[in-house]
Amino acid sequence: MADDRGGTPSPLGSAARLFDALGLVYERAYGQLPGQLEALDWLLHRLPARARVLDIGSGTGRPVAERLAAAGHLVTGCDVSPTMVRLARAQVPLARFELADVRELPDTPGAWDAITAFFPLFQLPRTEMELTLTRVADWLAPGGSFVLATVPFDGEGLELTWLGQRVRCSGYPAEIHPKLIEAAGLDVVHARCGVFRPDFPGAGEEEHLFVHAVKPQ
């Protein structure tokens, strides 16, 4: 992502508008992300039959919900973008998709065997990111799995230009994210950074962090 601090600040709550504008462009740009595919392989090997999976920021439904649902799991995706929800429902009819902000989801202790969050949380302020991680840990059943993917950087409310769109992000350095997940009550079993160049004209390389965690029995 290119740092672009100048210009007019993005309005609050712009995530829905951002992903409404991107639609399938996002899927084409990130559809073959190695770290994401590896995380899905890890998760599929851990899940019990017909596991209940919540995919936060489910986007177009591909590849996450599609692969999990094809393996027989009960997948519910949530996304703030009406366009993304419409695309996901059309592309992955075996899964369920809801128009919802993760911050407004009801508390459901122990309801999910696994939760995935591929890149939605860095669009939240730091305090809301940390609160969401705590809630995620509560929503998981004992022994449940959590996968987080994010862009590690040290900043709050940073203005960026990404895939031709304006976006505001917050984050922590790579070494802090596993500590936040452990503080929420989960055991981190794997954390790895990688570099990826999205399939988008003029896009540069991005650093991505993938964290795999489990809830103690």
Side-chain angles (χ1 to χ4, degrees), residues 10-11 18-19 31 47-48 53 58 63 70 72 82 88 102 119 124 135 140 142 152-153 161 169 171 193:
S10 300
L18 167 67
F19 285 98
L47 290 177
V53 184
S58 47
V102 65
F119 301 105
L124 302 178
R135 297 181 74 211
L140 280 173
F153 70 96
T161 298
C169 303
C193 283

Side-chain angles (χ1 to χ4, degrees), residues 82-183:
T83 294
M84 290 300 197
V85 171
R86 175 178 55 81
L87 288 169
R89 287 172 175 169
Q91 295 192 139
V92 191
L94 293 178
R96 174 185 177 186
F97 298 94
E98 299 178 353
L99 181 64
D101 187 319
V102 65
R103 295 168 294 184
E104 298 172 357
L105 292 179
D107 285 319
T108 52
W112 304 98
D113 298 305
I115 298 176
T116 60
F118 288 101
F119 301 105
L121 300 190
F122 75 93
Q123 297 174 69
L124 302 178
R126 283 177 165 181
T127 54
E128 294 182 354
M129 186 189 311
E130 294 176 27
L131 177 59
T132 298
L133 291 174
T134 299
R135 297 181 74 211
V136 162
D138 183 57
W139 297 343
L140 280 173
S145 304
F146 176 53
V147 176
L148 172 75
T150 191
V151 178
F153 70 96
D154 189 8
E156 176 87 21
L158 183 64
E159 292 278 342
L160 305 172
T161 298
W162 173 68
L163 301 186
Q165 304 291 324
R166 298 282 291 176
V167 60
R168 178 176 293 171
C169 303
S170 297
Y172 290 97
E175 66 273 14
I176 300 299
H177 284 279
K179 295 178 181 178
L180 295 176
I181 291 172
E182 290 180 339

Side-chain angles (χ1 to χ4, degrees), residues 38 42 146-148 174-179 181-182 187-194 208-213:
E38 291 169 9
W42 174 81
F146 176 53
V147 176
L148 172 75
E175 66 273 14
I176 300 299
H177 284 279
K179 295 178 181 178
I181 291 172
E182 290 180 339
D187 295 333
V188 172
V189 298
H190 176 74
R192 183 182 70 84
C193 283
H208 294 161
L209 171 67
F210 294 87
V211 184
H212 305 171

Side-chain angles (χ1 to χ4, degrees), residues 44 60 74 78 209:
L44 285 166
T60 67
L74 308 177
C78 68
L209 171 67

